[in-house]
Amino acid sequence: MGAHNVESATTRLTSLLIDDVLAVDAGALTSSLSLSEQEKVTSILLTHCHYDHVRDVAAIALSISYFRKTIRVYSQASTLDAISNNILNGVIYPDFTEIPAPNPPLKFCPLEPHKVEDIDGYKVLAVPVKHTVPTVGYQITSGEGKSFFYSGDTGPGLSACWEHISPQLLIMDVTLPNRLEKHAVSGGHLDPRLLGEELVGFKETKGYLPPVVVIHVSPMFEGEIKEEVEQVAKQLGADVTLSYEGVRLNL
Ligand SMILES: [Zn+2]
Ligand SMILES: [Zn+2]
């Protein structure tokens, strides 16, 4: 639904939707979905507490409250606490995990890294990645065994992460172009060159490299990032492409 780190008339914040029901990150949940589509969402997985990934938890809560149903929101306890303390705190917005009773629209469900959870028929594995606040990526596997890994926001240093996953598709943070590598690293993000290094590590560890889709792209540098991603794809002989709003990825 959203493939960028900056919102505008033509770009939305990072957000994925699986089979119309399971959302991953909530940067574009309400702006991308009609009310009846929002009603179909059963669960939301959050990678971390940054605003561009969590803000539509509050927005969809209000829509859902009219339907008298409850969406489950999964993340590490520290991420859920940050939302409770700073957004759904009765000041910025109501605590939608409690009101309106008896059917509050949200239920917060803490999860732990490295423990497979069954969520709506999907096997969900949270794996810590490298960002400026506690962050997990998710490997999500369907009942038919189709799987992908979404990194959330991450900087370099993913070798430990690769040991825990074997996805058929990688969806990876690439926020800035190579010339702004210092800023990418200090913000806990990758650029195309750093992504290339991580993908080499993936191939060495796992013995294969699945298709890679790049997300969280800064629209200010999109042309430059696209060219550099194409170079990385060529060097690795790999399928690495940028994602865009509204693109459907079929596994
Ligand atoms: Zn972040
Ligand atoms: Zn972000």
Side-chain angles (χ1 to χ4, degrees):
M1 298 180 287
H4 293 87
N5 74 334
V6 168
E7 187 176 61
S8 69
T10 54
T11 61
R12 292 197 207 109
L13 300 176
T14 301
S15 226
L16 311 170
L17 184 63
I18 303 160
D19 300 337
D20 300 330
V21 293
L22 179 59
V24 192
D25 279 342
L29 250 184
T30 44
S31 56
S32 304
L33 300 180
S34 68
L35 287 174
S36 61
E37 288 167 336
Q38 291 179 36
E39 191 184 0
K40 284 186 197 150
V41 174
T42 50
S43 300
I44 303 169
L45 308 176
L46 299 174
T47 57
H48 66 299
C49 67
H50 280 157
Y51 176 78
D52 55 322
H53 299 254
V54 306
R55 66 162 207 198
D56 285 355
V57 169
I60 201 168
L62 183 59
S63 325
I64 288 301
S65 68
Y66 291 102
F67 301 122
R68 294 171 192 273
K69 59 167 281 195
T70 302
I71 291 180
R72 289 178 301 279
V73 182
Y74 294 85
S75 195
Q76 294 188 100
S78 62
T79 302
L80 299 175
D81 288 347
I83 297 169
S84 293
N85 295 335
N86 299 292
I87 301 175
L88 303 180
N89 58 2
V91 179
I92 300 289
Y93 230 32
D95 179 0
F96 283 121
T97 64
E98 297 285 345
I99 58 168
N103 291 310
L106 301 178
K107 179 175 165 54
F108 280 4
C109 309
L111 51 72
E112 284 170 31
H114 303 310
K115 245 178 92 179
V116 177
E117 295 258 357
D118 193 316
I119 297 174
D120 303 335
Y122 299 88
K123 285 197 168 32
V124 174
L125 176 66
V127 184
V129 294
K130 305 282 181 182
H131 196 40
T132 53
V133 294
T135 303
V136 289
Y138 289 105
Q139 176 170 271
I140 300 168
T141 309
S142 72
E144 311 97 78
K146 296 177 178 181
S147 66
F148 71 91
F149 176 76
Y150 162 52
S151 70
D153 286 1
T154 188
L158 297 172
S159 55
C161 170
W162 300 150
E163 285 169 25
H164 298 276
I165 62 168
S166 298
Q168 295 160 4
L169 171 74
L170 283 168
I171 302 176
M172 299 295 300
D173 171 358
V174 172
T175 302
L176 293 171
N178 294 340
R179 69 186 164 84
L180 298 176
E181 189 158 301
K182 250 190 217 161
H183 297 282
V185 171
S186 68
H189 298 291
L190 297 172
D191 61 22
R193 194 190 74 78
L194 292 168
L195 173 70
E197 286 185 359
E198 297 300 327
L199 296 181
V200 168
F202 184 100
K203 201 171 177 184
E204 278 169 6
T205 309
K206 310 306 295 186
Y208 77 104
L209 192 56
V212 182
V213 173
V214 159
I215 200 166
H216 204 266
V217 171
S218 173
M220 284 75 173
F221 308 107
E222 188 164 297
E224 214 175 334
I225 292 170
K226 185 167 184 283
E227 272 178 30
E228 291 171 355
V229 162
E230 284 166 1
Q231 281 169 18
V232 169
K234 220 173 167 186
Q235 280 160 11
L236 299 181
D239 179 358
V240 191
T241 50
L242 265 60
S243 62
Y244 297 96
E245 282 70 19
V247 164
R248 195 169 274 271
L249 301 166
N250 291 310
L251 285 170

